[in-house]
Amino acid sequence: MDEPHSLAVVVAHPDDDAYGCAGSIAMHENDPGFRFCLILATDGGAGQIAEGVPTTPQGLGAWRRKESVNAWRAHGTIPDRHEWLDYADGHLAEVDFEELVRRILAILLEERPQVVVTFGPDGITGHRDHIAVGRATDEAFIRARQVPGPGLKRLVHGALRASTFERWNQSRQQQGMEPWDPAREYHLRPVPDELIDIDVDTHHVAHRIVAGLLEHKSQRHVIVDPGVNERRWARIVSRESSVMVWPPRPPGSQLLKDLFEGL
């Protein structure tokens, strides 16, 4: 009998989980036995605060925890397990690596999800917290696989296609905005199209991705460029691309169209 589809998303901040895999989660929520585990390393308490959001720097972490809960409620799929590791935002790279690996490993061994999604070495934006949690998750996945049992069949890194990056940058320049510079922290980092292994068409659930993103009100100005309306936002999130770290996709094989394809 095939294992039920299950997924663990391991990221650094609230809203890191709101794009990149939220569409895939919506597409599988009705699968028999589907389980979604969300692991957040920090509460994002060192982030910026969008104009009009009634919180303070001291209260931002608690505010963003609520945003995270509200976002998944708006999205329509509430995580079966919503785990906070409670590290300080912006300081994840300073955490003892072995400690971080052990904490993630403990959850992966309890859950044994089929697919684990995290950041790659580029952190998508070069954010040091993203890079730290991705590196620790990769190591935790490797160690978890050494313990016999079900699941742990695929490790995936979220990614931004280079062709998409170029299109977005052209649009930014046409609007007189500063282009993304991959050499700078907090700026988007593209992955060459030929290195993308999974490309999911999420256009029919894009409105749900946007509904979740809209709940991250404190970070709206960080998540999306000014002036982007909900219809445009839905087009932006209508595809989810990722790199399959383990097992590697056989050379010459077709792109996968789903996180669980072939499992």
Side-chain angles (χ1 to χ4, degrees), residues 136-262:
T137 302
D138 286 356
E139 179 62 25
F141 179 89
I142 292 168
R143 297 184 192 182
R145 278 195 49 81
Q146 295 171 3
V147 180
L152 301 167
K153 294 183 175 180
R154 182 170 289 164
L155 175 63
V156 170
H157 288 166
L160 172 63
R161 278 180 170 272
S163 56
T164 301
F165 174 86
E166 292 300 331
R167 188 171 68 251
W168 288 359
N169 248 2
Q170 288 175 7
S171 176
R172 287 175 67 87
Q173 290 176 300
Q174 289 169 0
Q175 297 175 60
M177 300 172 64
E178 179 186 22
W180 297 112
D181 179 358
R184 294 172 58 186
E185 189 172 14
Y186 308 122
H187 281 232
L188 293 172
R189 271 122 167 102
V191 171
D193 285 22
E194 61 270 21
L195 298 183
I196 297 296
D197 298 305
I198 306 174
D199 197 44
V200 186
D201 180 354
T202 57
H203 78 275
H204 59 292
V205 294
H207 63 289
R208 292 180 52 180
I209 304 173
V210 173
L213 286 164
L214 286 169
E215 293 299 321
H216 292 280
K217 296 179 175 64
S218 68
Q219 306 304 303
R220 171 69 185 262
H221 60 304
V222 177
I223 296 173
V224 71
D225 289 337
V228 173
N229 59 31
E230 292 183 32
R231 180 175 295 182
R232 170 61 181 153
W233 211 349
R235 290 199 297 272
I236 291 172
V237 300
S238 65
R239 301 200 77 82
E240 293 178 349
S241 300
S242 53
V243 174
M244 194 161 67
V245 184
W246 197 95
R249 184 165 59 100
S253 61
Q254 294 292 315
L255 273 176
L256 301 183
K257 298 180 179 179
D258 185 272
L259 284 179
F260 297 99
E261 184 178 347

Side-chain angles (χ1 to χ4, degrees), residues 7 13 130 133 158 176 216 250 263:
L7 175 74
H13 315 101
H130 294 186
V133 77
H216 292 280
L263 296 182

Side-chain angles (χ1 to χ4, degrees), residues 48-62:
Q48 300 178 40
I49 302 174
E51 185 177 354
V53 174
T55 190
T56 64
Q58 294 74 25
L60 181 59

